Amino acid sequence: MLLRQIFIICIFLLLSACTNSPREQSLYDALGQQEGIANITHQMILNFAQDERVKHRFKGVNMQKFKIGFTNYVCALVQGPCEYQGDSMKTIHAGYNYTNTEFNAIVDDLILAMEQCDVPVATQNRLLAKLAPTYKDIVYH
């Protein structure tokens, strides 16, 4: 009888430990939700303006519209409550003939923006992994 009670207690403790284990924070929350994503986007735009490799690509672009669109895109991509209603990445970037160098510069500017907004490297990597598949829709060979 005592052995059975000990066994039941051990099973209960094991199950309790499993249910109380910390879950990984959602990427949306880890990025600071919509406000955090908007702050990262704003900083990224500031970085574009200083980046000789890509700043010419943004001349004449409505940066407020870009900020709202990119913020909503990322928010939706990381399962936030936002709904992205813009065009596909392929449609938006068609005909611009972005180079690998320009793509990498934009990624560099995004990483810098995340660093400037104190986003942990692990969270940065999670977002970059979500964004990586868009490469094929932006850079044409």
Side-chain angles (χ1 to χ4, degrees):
M1 183 68 161
L2 181 60
L3 188 57
R4 182 173 180 216
Q5 288 174 333
I6 292 172
F7 178 75
I8 290 172
I9 290 171
C10 287
I11 294 295
F12 176 77
L13 291 173
L14 280 171
L15 290 175
S16 296
C18 289
T19 58
N20 290 331
S21 63
R23 289 192 174 155
E24 184 175 51
Q25 186 179 33
S26 76
L27 185 49
Y28 175 71
D29 288 335
L31 290 169
Q33 301 183 345
Q34 189 164 2
E35 182 180 352
I37 295 167
N39 290 339
I40 293 165
T41 302
H42 179 78
Q43 187 59 56
M44 181 178 69
I45 290 168
L46 295 176
N47 294 345
F48 290 161
Q50 300 300 314
D51 190 336
E52 294 296 331
R53 300 171 297 175
V54 294
K55 72 181 187 179
H56 65 282
R57 287 291 192 167
F58 295 95
K59 285 189 177 172
V61 172
N62 179 334
M63 294 311 279
Q64 185 59 32
K65 183 178 177 184
F66 175 88
K67 180 180 179 181
I68 292 167
F70 190 78
T71 298
N72 284 333
Y73 177 76
V74 171
C75 181
L77 186 68
V78 299
Q79 279 94 39
C82 309
E83 188 175 324
Y84 176 71
Q85 297 179 345
D87 291 329
S88 71
M89 291 300 108
K90 190 170 196 159
T91 299
I92 290 169
H93 298 95
Y96 286 99
N97 299 316
Y98 287 100
T99 66
N100 286 324
T101 301
E102 290 170 324
F103 181 86
N104 291 337
I106 289 169
V107 172
D108 288 346
D109 291 336
L110 171 58
I111 291 169
L112 179 58
M114 289 190 286
E115 289 173 355
Q116 291 165 320
C117 291
D118 297 319
V119 176
V121 171
T123 301
Q124 293 178 34
N125 290 338
R126 289 172 62 198
L127 177 59
L128 293 171
K130 291 267 190 192
L131 291 169
T134 63
Y135 171 85
K136 67 183 178 353
D137 295 330
I138 297 170
V139 176
Y140 297 96
H141 298 282

